[in-house]
Amino acid sequence: MRATVIHAPHDIRVEEVPDAAIRRPEDAVVRVLRACICGSDLWAYRGEAAREPGQRIGHEFLGIVEETGSAVSSLRAGDLVVAPFMWSDGTCEFCAEGLYTSCDHGGFWGSVGHDGGQGEAVRVPHADGTLVKLPAEAVSDDHLLTGLLALSDVMGTGHHAALGAGVRAGSTVAVVGDGAVGLCGVLAAKRLGAERIIALGRHSVRTDIAKLFGATEVVAERGEAAEAAVRELTGGRGAHAVIEAVGTEQSMRTAVNITRDGGSIGYVGVPHGSGTGLDLGVMFDRNITLRGGVAPVRAYIPELLEDVLAGVIDPAPVFDRAVTLDEVPEGYRAMDDRSALKVLIKP
């Protein structure tokens, strides 16, 4: 089969690799119908996250079950399924607590020795605990299929951030980051009943999506100017709930400084850089709560799926460019130079 591999920084290729195949009784093989490129994939692309030459890449996909191992009981060939960005057994102590990302037998797509999502097919370990079935009729609805793909990562991660930030009905929310996760954080905050949503972002294409998703105000400034703008919009108080979806020292510092006393920050931006931007003394004095981390999206897919199918939320607009498998290297370049927000892959 053909799949995307990374050989070195800025060296993404689509190559022939061994076919995805059942190795253990708990496995399934999924033929990929939709995949995408994540902002976190860019850290490997830019050389800021180590990868072995020839390692697979990509962790967001949905598709059709082609084959199942002898121990798989909840799935059969022909099922349309979506995969969260980590596999999990669904039975360990952490899975039982809903923290699927800490599963005793879990792992990330594209890790050494495992298939990545950006290819023609994927071997799925622990298929019963990992994959979520989708309505068969969705396969013929291109827009719906695209929205359902967002459940594999960005929509669930935005929801995790909104929960961590304590978004509730009537609250004022600020979202730091105008990438796909930040935009899905806006959508999640709207779904949870936020009254005001302030989106921080400088690119009109992205802030237009933020407005479509429910943002009531946009702040284009950065750093101290952004903090002053949010303070002005909130009568000097700051936001009850702040979503941090970038992961840099500056973005975290901005998040802390625009949080209202007694408020909360939900952080899901993958941390990178030399510092955290956190001053625990400031957070202590102002009673600011920090919650977040790697989103256990497998826990959130069922409830978010219901709302996508019902039309309550539609995350599909975060995908603003589509490529074939052959064009994946071009998709990486487009996301790296910010000419694309999030690239959809149609193998």
Side-chain angles (χ1 to χ4, degrees):
M1 71 177 197
R2 299 169 70 246
T4 305
V5 298
I6 183 167
H7 284 271
H10 301 281
D11 186 1
I12 293 283
R13 308 177 197 175
V14 178
E15 298 180 338
E16 292 288 333
V17 301
D19 287 341
I22 301 295
R23 295 184 190 173
R24 296 180 57 85
E26 303 85 6
D27 291 350
V29 172
V30 173
R31 173 169 53 88
V32 177
L33 295 182
R34 295 290 185 274
C36 54
I37 302 171
C38 182
S40 64
D41 292 330
L42 297 180
W43 299 117
Y45 182 73
R46 294 166 179 162
E48 297 181 41
R51 293 292 187 275
E52 293 187 1
Q55 188 173 337
R56 307 287 179 82
I57 195 166
H59 54 262
E60 300 160 282
F61 66 94
L62 59 74
I64 301 291
V65 175
E66 293 282 279
E67 185 182 1
T68 59
S70 59
V72 176
S73 60
S74 64
L75 302 163
R76 62 182 181 180
D79 286 342
L80 178 65
V81 293
V82 63
F85 64 79
M86 289 184 67
W87 69 81
S88 53
D89 61 22
T91 60
C92 76
E93 182 177 346
F94 285 112
C95 288
E97 294 172 354
L99 193 61
Y100 294 87
T101 49
S102 292
C103 176
D104 291 333
H105 303 105
F108 286 93
W109 310 114
S111 56
V112 175
H114 293 275
D115 295 329
Q118 296 166 12
E120 292 182 321
V122 177
R123 178 182 75 89
V124 178
H126 300 288
D128 277 333
T130 300
L131 299 172
V132 178
K133 283 200 287 189
L134 303 173
E137 57 270 21
V139 75
S140 61
D141 187 331
D142 188 69
H143 185 87
L144 176 59
L145 209 59
T146 300
L148 293 172
L149 176 62
L151 299 180
S152 65
D153 186 345
V154 289
M155 188 62 230
T157 298
H159 178 66
H160 186 60
L163 293 179
V167 176
R168 61 189 184 279
S171 59
T172 295
V173 181
V175 180
V176 181
D178 61 0
V181 169
L183 295 174
C184 285
V186 172
L187 189 57
K190 178 68 174 178
R191 175 179 177 271
L192 292 173
E195 181 177 336
R196 296 180 68 189
I197 304 173
I198 304 167
L200 280 67
R202 295 179 296 161
H203 303 84
S204 60
V205 171
R206 299 178 179 215
T207 55
D208 285 348
I209 297 174
K211 292 175 185 175
L212 175 68
F213 282 179
T216 53
E217 290 111 337
V218 170
V219 168
E221 293 85 357
R222 297 184 70 182
E224 292 182 0
E227 295 166 14
V230 174
R231 290 281 174 181
E232 183 176 357
L233 287 170
T234 57
R237 298 294 192 183
H240 299 103
V242 175
I243 290 172
E244 193 287 312
V246 182
T248 64
E249 183 171 357
Q250 177 180 309
S251 64
M252 187 60 82
R253 181 176 293 112
T254 297
V256 171
N257 290 340
I258 63 175
T259 303
R260 180 186 179 98
D261 287 15
S264 299
I265 299 168
Y267 73 105
V268 292
V270 179
H272 48 275
S274 59
T276 65
L278 292 176
D279 184 330
L280 293 181
V282 170
M283 297 180 68
F284 182 87
D285 290 344
R286 297 178 50 217
N287 280 284
I288 292 175
T289 300
L290 181 67
R291 292 192 297 263
V294 184
V297 299
R298 179 60 182 82
Y300 304 138
I301 289 176
E303 63 175 294
L304 295 175
L305 173 60
E306 288 186 15
D307 279 1
V308 172
L309 294 176
V312 175
I313 57 173
D314 177 17
V318 299
F319 298 96
D320 62 343
R321 185 174 301 189
V323 299
T324 65
L325 193 55
D326 287 333
E327 297 168 331
V328 167
E330 179 184 332
Y332 271 85
R333 288 191 290 272
M335 284 186 61
D336 186 44
D337 67 19
R338 295 181 69 86
S339 62
L341 168 61
K342 189 166 181 66
V343 173
L344 177 71
I345 302 168
K346 297 182 177 181

